[in-house]
């Protein structure tokens, strides 16, 4: 019997998956894991360095393996990188899990991330690229989501509570 992840968080970069994930894990009394952190730990390089050195296809292959391992092993709250849902096999695996899509609009993204150069997919014209990424990904986030929780103008605590309520999960 493989582990069943308590909650999987998906959504765009900067939406607060890490912050909300840690709060959710604490409130549920389970562990927290972030697949982006796993990739950095295993590869010994930042995600931006992997993108620059090896290209996006190589990064996506690493990400797919990492996400599949984490879904099989981790029983707590799991945060996925913003593009993890691009892979059809990953989306199929998520079908059996409680998945929360944390959403936000572009203005909120600008406030939160500054849409800075450390985000490799947003290096040129960040607002336009963020909008295009979301147009390409929003339906995929919605496809895998058990619940959608808007984060605009909300504190991490409010988002965490709404995620718990949406999933009808009880705190530990």
């Amino acid at each position: 019997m493989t582990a069943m992840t308590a909650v999987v968080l998906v959504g765009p970069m900067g939406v607060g998956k890490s912050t909300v994930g840690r709060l959710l894990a604490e409130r549920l009394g389970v562990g927290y894991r972030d697949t982006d952190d796993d990739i950095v730990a295993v590869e010994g390089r930042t995600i931006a360095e992997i993108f620059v050195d090896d290209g996006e296809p190589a990064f996506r292959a690493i990400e797919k393996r990492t996400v599949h391992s984490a879904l099989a092993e981790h029983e707590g709250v799991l945060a996925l990188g913003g593009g993890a849902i691009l892979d059809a096999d990953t989306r199929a695996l998520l079908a059996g899990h409680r998945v929360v899509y944390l959403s936000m609009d572009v203005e909120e993204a600008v406030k939160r991330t500054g849409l800075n150069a450390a985000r490799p997919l947003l290096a040129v014209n960040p607002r336009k690229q963020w909008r295009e990424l979301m147009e390409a990904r929003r339906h995929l986030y919605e496809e895998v989501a058990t619940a959608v929780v808007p984060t605009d103008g909300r504190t991490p605590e409010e988002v965490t509570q709404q995620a718990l309520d949406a999933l009808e999960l009880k705190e530990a």
Side-chain angles (χ1 to χ4, degrees):
M1 177 83 184
T2 57
M4 178 62 171
T5 307
V7 178
V8 180
L9 297 176
V10 299
M13 56 191 88
V15 76
K17 294 182 298 281
S18 298
T19 302
V20 171
R22 286 184 186 94
L23 287 169
L24 264 176
E26 184 180 305
R27 303 247 321 249
L28 292 170
V30 297
Y32 169 75
R33 185 168 172 179
D34 183 317
T35 58
D36 281 351
D37 293 343
D38 290 355
I39 291 168
V40 170
V42 169
E43 294 294 313
R45 319 179 266 171
T46 67
I47 288 170
E49 288 169 332
I50 298 168
F51 262 84
V52 170
D53 295 346
D54 304 341
E56 185 175 359
F59 170 76
R60 295 294 173 208
I62 294 165
E63 180 177 54
K64 177 178 179 172
R65 287 191 307 272
T66 303
V67 169
H68 289 221
S69 293
L71 285 169
E73 301 163 3
H74 186 65
E75 295 182 9
V77 175
L78 182 64
L80 304 188
I85 47 78
L86 294 171
D87 181 75
D89 293 337
T90 297
R91 290 195 309 275
L93 270 183
L94 288 172
H97 294 273
R98 285 185 217 91
V99 180
V100 176
Y101 162 32
L102 300 180
S103 68
M104 69 178 168
D105 67 23
V106 70
E107 298 311 318
E108 189 79 7
V110 169
K111 280 192 281 190
R112 291 186 191 189
T113 67
L115 296 180
N116 60 37
R119 309 283 187 175
L121 291 178
L122 301 177
V124 181
N125 195 344
R127 279 178 191 251
K128 179 176 181 268
Q129 288 181 296
W130 192 89
R131 278 193 182 96
E132 288 173 1
L133 279 175
M134 282 309 298
E135 285 170 20
R137 295 177 179 180
R138 183 174 291 110
H139 72 284
L140 299 174
Y141 292 133
E142 290 170 351
E143 175 188 317
V144 301
T146 309
V148 178
V149 177
T151 64
D152 304 272
R154 292 193 164 123
T155 66
E157 291 77 15
E158 290 168 334
V159 173
T160 300
Q161 187 58 55
Q162 187 170 356
L164 287 168
D165 292 347
L167 295 173
E168 299 178 348
L169 292 172
K170 303 290 180 237
E171 295 181 47

